[in-house]
Amino acid sequence: MAVSLNKGQKLSLTKSGGGTLTRVFMGLGWDAVAKGLFRKKAVEVDLDASVLLFDAAGKLVDQVWFQQLRSKDGSVTHTGDNLTGEGEGDDETIYVDLPAVPPAVSTLVFTVSSFTGQDFSSVQNAFCRLVDAAQPQQVELARYALSQAGPHTAQIMAKLTREGSGWAMTAIGEPASGRTIRDLLPAVKPHL
């Protein structure tokens, strides 16, 4: 059963029967707000899911986004860029092979940004979710609604942090400004 997370809420990723998760994915979904006469036409909005990998000292180790779909070590993979958000379910997905993440990496921060520059008042039904990808039925573990409309063009969604031999997810939900993860790096730093 999935947990709906609120801003700042933390969730341990240790399985209920013991053991830890091995393979997860963070899914991002959104719809463009319909505008115009009778709200029939939705303006296309290109949101981008990205992840930044940091060491314990807060130094950026690697990044995965639409211009680099795979981490240097191969433990994190982005499935590709969705330019419109059309369709049901996840529009962009980032897979993480947790045991393969190098020991030097202590935190993974997931972000979403509007590459086309529209602010979040142009999107609706936005969410990120963490899914246990090792299960055949891909069990949703946590969901975080990104429905905060406003003048921001990006959001720092959530982070995965090492906790002993396992991992924990923290919902961040902090508005930010920027079109790519390079723009968001200063806004991410306080959340490490």
Side-chain angles (χ1 to χ4, degrees), residues 71-190:
S71 61
K72 293 170 191 158
D73 58 54
S75 65
V76 181
T77 306
H78 194 303
T79 58
D81 194 13
N82 180 318
L83 304 176
T84 64
E86 288 186 20
E88 297 296 316
D90 301 318
D91 296 312
E92 293 195 9
T93 308
I94 299 174
Y95 283 88
V96 182
D97 182 351
L98 293 168
V101 173
V105 174
S106 63
T107 305
L108 292 87
V109 180
F110 294 86
T111 66
V112 58
S113 54
S114 173
F115 185 73
T116 46
Q118 290 112 323
D119 63 37
F120 270 59
S121 65
S122 298
V123 297
Q124 62 186 357
N125 306 321
F127 66 88
C128 70
R129 67 189 192 120
L130 187 71
V131 176
D132 182 352
Q135 299 293 324
Q137 64 274 32
Q138 296 191 336
V139 177
E140 184 175 287
L141 303 168
R143 177 177 286 262
Y144 182 59
L146 303 172
S147 57
Q148 182 184 19
H152 55 285
T153 58
Q155 194 154 9
I156 302 162
M157 298 188 311
K159 68 180 178 180
L160 293 179
T161 51
R162 285 191 193 271
E163 285 197 344
S165 62
W167 294 82
M169 176 186 173
T170 303
I172 298 172
E174 188 68 33
S177 294
R179 294 178 53 224
T180 69
I181 56 170
R182 292 179 180 151
D183 301 331
L184 298 178
L185 199 51
V188 167
K189 288 282 191 175

Side-chain angles (χ1 to χ4, degrees), residues 3 28 58 159:
V3 174
L28 167 67
K159 68 180 178 180

